[in-house]
Amino acid sequence: MGCERINHSLTWDSIDPSNQKLTKITKVLTDSRPIRLKGRSFLALTLTPELPLEGWLARLDDLASRSAGFFLRKPVVLDVEGLEIDRARLKELIDELGRRGVRIMGLEGARASQLGADMPPPMAGGRPGPDFEAPLSDPGANPEKPLASVSPPEPQPVRTPSIIVNRPVRSGQSVIFTEGDVTVIGSVASGAEIVAGGSIHIYGALRGRALAGSMGDSSARIFCRKLEAELLAIDGLYKTADDIEPQFHGRAVQLWLEGDSIMAEALV
Amino acid sequence: MGKVIVVTSGKGGVGKTTSTAALGAALALRKEKVVVVDFDVGLRNLDLVLGAERRVVYDFVNVIQGDAKLAQALIRDKRLETLFLLPASQTRDKDALTADGVERVIGALKKSFDWIICDSPAGIERGATLAMRHADIAVVVTNPEVSSVRDSDRIIGLLDAKTAKAERGERMEKHLLLTRYDSGRADRGDMLKVEDVLEILSIPLLGIIPESTDVLKASNLGTPVTIADSRSGPALAYLDAARRLAGESVPVTVPGEKRGFFGKLLGWRAA
């Protein structure tokens, strides 16, 4: 069962010989093929400057002096929510941080008037992560391991996260759960979408879009009671309704990824 | 306290205004006190369908802005004395409706009417969301074709998310009113069948209104179809739908098929 390729990072040596012919054909046909779009999340260190900035910078210098390289190779986001400074002063602050080796990758909570082409891009939708532990105040305590200052995440019970949606997913609604599996008890309407980091289980008709393994999990699967989907995707590889073999239409089906092909099988 | 019904669909031209007028008149025929409220500010039509266009002095927006009292804006129907219209303003747009103003007016209407039927504008923007905001019951008007069904599905999603009832964590009662149904064309596969629409939308059926020239005729005369010719197919279907809204148990029939057969198949139950 062939499917559209939307991966640009593929190299020829990585192709399984049995698949080569198929890929070659597709390559000829699709110079304008869409680029594979994938999500990736990083844990960014967030700095929240406080007024007066001179005092805050002094405290930052104090922290940096305790641990050279604390900010090295860490993405840093500047949270300026509620910080009453204009664009020029914000630029100055970013330059000051730059002189200290702190590179700002984005601004969170910035007003439009504070942003500009020469400023880091605005960021939104950040979620709290585990705290970064500041280096100890005693400079001699751990001098040889300055980078080991990220505290380990809280120990959590090991389980696969999943959510259950207990009613039909209507047109225009999307259920996005990148952390794990999504189970829907009911149908997914035309124009609705389910995006899951893991597998998708639909106890009803799938008429909308289902995107499983969206964070790069090629072992994710899609299960549904009745397949009438507009689009199916696993790990960034997709199939539109037209590409789905007609014999699976309206049937209970499971879909998975084998190499670069989405495979389907009717469930009895 | 009166019950607030929103007649909504997402898609335009499927019969919201016709259904609002027909159901309003049908409930008023039962001697219940009914007000139909036009939320389509800027594109009002309900006054025409009710034949009240030349009697509009004050409108919904005037009441919201405090230029007129509610009693001044309400127009009593000439044929049914328990049927009233709160017209929309034709010279304004949807932004003239404020959330506070709508809440105040609906609250006041609930005190003096048994039924408040809100005729929603098409779309999913401000006018439509304000029309559904304070509803207790939603009547989702759908034509048996795919675009209408998908738009209705979208509206059902909004009814479950954006209404005051949903925000209080309560369940919004939703009913499907299938309009312009032609069983012959459905059998030939030219339009969706009742079962298909019900399967996709999965909400209970309030009624099936047959496609008929009587509907257009009544609209042009400015008479709700339920009082224009109460023996016509659409009128009978709307009268039955109104009885179901009022809580009676009436089997649903598919126009053009033997009465009762389908009713047994589907049954009628409140959501």
Side-chain angles (χ1 to χ4, degrees):
Chain A
M1 179 166 179
C3 68
E4 290 286 329
R5 247 235 77 81
I6 40 173
N7 184 1
H8 261 218
S9 61
L10 184 83
T11 57
W12 283 99
D13 10 25
S14 72
I15 299 167
D16 173 64
S18 62
N19 252 339
Q20 199 156 348
K21 197 173 161 199
L22 175 77
T23 316
K24 221 180 239 165
I25 293 165
T26 331
K27 196 175 170 82
V28 176
L29 288 174
T30 58
D31 256 336
S32 60
R33 61 209 155 142
I35 292 164
R36 185 171 187 158
L37 301 171
K38 295 175 87 167
R40 199 181 294 275
S41 65
F42 296 89
L43 188 63
L45 192 150
T46 306
L47 287 176
T48 314
E50 289 157 23
L51 293 175
L53 292 175
E54 292 69 30
W56 182 78
L57 280 168
R59 274 178 285 153
L60 188 79
D61 287 338
D62 175 52
L63 184 134
S65 71
R66 273 180 262 141
S67 159
F70 178 63
F71 293 110
L72 216 62
R73 285 192 293 277
K74 283 201 190 85
V76 176
V77 169
L78 205 58
D79 179 4
V80 295
E81 173 93 56
L83 190 68
E84 288 304 323
I85 57 172
D86 61 11
R87 189 166 168 277
R89 286 199 70 197
L90 183 57
K91 182 88 178 72
E92 239 168 71
L93 173 64
I94 291 167
D95 291 343
E96 278 293 327
L97 289 167
R99 277 192 278 283
R100 289 162 171 80
V102 181
R103 307 273 307 269
I104 305 299
M105 61 174 286
L107 296 173
E108 195 179 13
R111 296 186 302 271
S113 63
Q114 290 173 322
L115 295 165
D118 54 343
M119 303 283 268
M123 300 185 80
R127 280 177 293 181
D131 284 350
F132 285 88
E133 208 165 87
L136 297 170
S137 52
D138 177 9
N142 212 347
E144 71 279 8
K145 283 171 70 187
L147 281 177
S149 47
V150 179
S151 71
E154 300 268 304
Q156 279 170 353
V158 180
R159 61 185 196 94
T160 315
S162 73
I163 54 165
I164 294 174
V165 179
N166 235 330
R167 57 185 192 189
V169 183
R170 303 283 182 180
S171 184
Q173 295 178 332
S174 27
V175 175
I176 299 173
F177 185 68
T178 51
E179 289 86 351
D181 291 6
V182 175
T183 304
V184 179
I185 303 167
S187 294
V188 177
S190 159
E193 74 179 354
I194 310 288
V195 181
S199 296
I200 296 174
H201 310 259
I202 295 160
Y203 292 92
L206 168 57
R207 301 192 176 93
R209 303 154 72 106
L211 292 82
S214 62
M215 303 300 282
D217 179 2
S218 57
S219 68
R221 293 188 179 213
I222 298 171
F223 304 85
C224 64
R225 273 263 175 87
K226 191 174 180 191
L227 182 71
E228 294 172 13
E230 289 165 348
L231 184 127
L232 297 160
I234 301 174
D235 186 19
L237 289 160
Y238 73 92
K239 251 180 192 301
T240 57
D242 287 347
D243 308 325
I244 300 166
E245 275 80 343
Q247 76 259 31
F248 295 117
H249 188 89
R251 301 192 59 183
V253 170
Q254 69 152 327
L255 301 121
W256 70 97
L257 207 58
E258 224 169 85
D260 291 320
S261 301
I262 295 181
M263 310 296 285
E265 179 188 79
L267 299 165
V268 185
Chain B
M1 286 289 258
K3 274 197 177 170
V4 183
I5 301 178
V6 60
V7 178
T8 185
S9 70
K11 192 169 159 58
V14 296
K16 286 181 293 297
T17 302
T18 303
S19 298
T20 303
L23 290 173
L27 287 166
L29 278 169
R30 302 164 58 92
K31 304 289 171 220
E32 297 187 56
K33 216 174 161 200
V34 182
V35 59
V36 289
V37 184
D38 195 345
F39 272 78
D40 208 346
V41 177
L43 287 170
R44 75 173 184 214
N45 275 328
L46 192 53
D47 54 332
L48 286 172
V49 176
L50 287 167
E53 72 275 16
R54 277 177 298 201
R55 298 166 61 207
V56 176
V57 181
Y58 293 109
D59 58 50
F60 197 176
V61 173
N62 293 140
V63 177
I64 282 179
Q65 295 182 338
D67 303 331
K69 292 207 175 71
L70 185 54
Q72 291 176 295
L74 289 172
I75 301 169
R76 186 195 291 263
D77 188 80
K78 282 191 168 164
R79 296 144 298 204
L80 297 166
E81 61 170 20
T82 58
L83 178 62
F84 290 78
L85 164 70
L86 179 57
S89 169
Q90 181 72 347
T91 53
R92 309 295 295 271
D93 60 35
K94 266 81 174 169
D95 293 336
L97 294 176
T98 62
D100 287 351
V102 170
E103 187 173 359
R104 226 172 39 236
V105 171
I106 298 287
L109 290 172
K110 278 172 87 164
K111 290 192 188 115
S112 38
F113 288 92
D114 298 316
W115 299 95
I116 297 96
I117 309 183
C118 304
D119 183 21
S120 171
I124 53 172
E125 287 79 25
R126 188 180 180 80
T129 48
L130 282 175
M132 69 171 68
R133 181 83 199 141
H134 303 286
D136 300 305
I137 303 170
V139 172
V140 180
V141 181
T142 307
N143 287 169
E145 49 106 8
V146 284
S147 60
S148 174
V149 171
R150 190 207 260 176
D151 289 0
S152 292
D153 195 63
R154 179 94 166 91
I155 280 290
I156 295 167
L158 293 179
L159 287 165
D160 285 335
K162 295 257 170 110
T163 51
K165 219 172 176 184
E167 282 169 13
R168 289 196 299 267
E170 297 167 31
R171 234 182 84 85
M172 167 72 78
E173 200 182 301
K174 299 170 292 278
H175 300 298
L176 174 68
L177 189 64
L178 195 61
T179 54
R180 308 197 63 169
Y181 190 75
D182 181 332
S183 59
R185 290 182 63 195
D187 286 343
R188 288 197 301 276
D190 294 348
M191 51 168 68
L192 294 174
K193 290 190 173 169
V194 180
E195 301 92 310
D196 301 336
V197 180
L198 280 173
E199 210 249 326
I200 294 172
L201 295 180
S202 52
I203 56 171
L205 187 61
L206 182 68
I208 305 165
I209 314 299
E211 170 81 320
S212 163
T213 51
D214 293 328
V215 175
L216 188 63
K217 236 185 282 171
S219 288
N220 287 335
L221 288 173
T223 314
V225 67
T226 32
I227 47 179
D229 174 7
S230 59
R231 303 306 305 161
S232 71
L236 289 171
Y238 275 120
L239 289 164
D240 277 356
R243 288 169 66 194
R244 291 180 197 111
L245 271 179
E248 284 182 40
S249 170
V250 185
V252 180
T253 54
V254 178
E257 284 177 23
K258 279 222 159 53
R259 194 177 171 85
F261 166 70
F262 205 76
K264 277 177 204 136
L265 223 66
L266 287 167
W268 160 261
R269 58 195 166 77

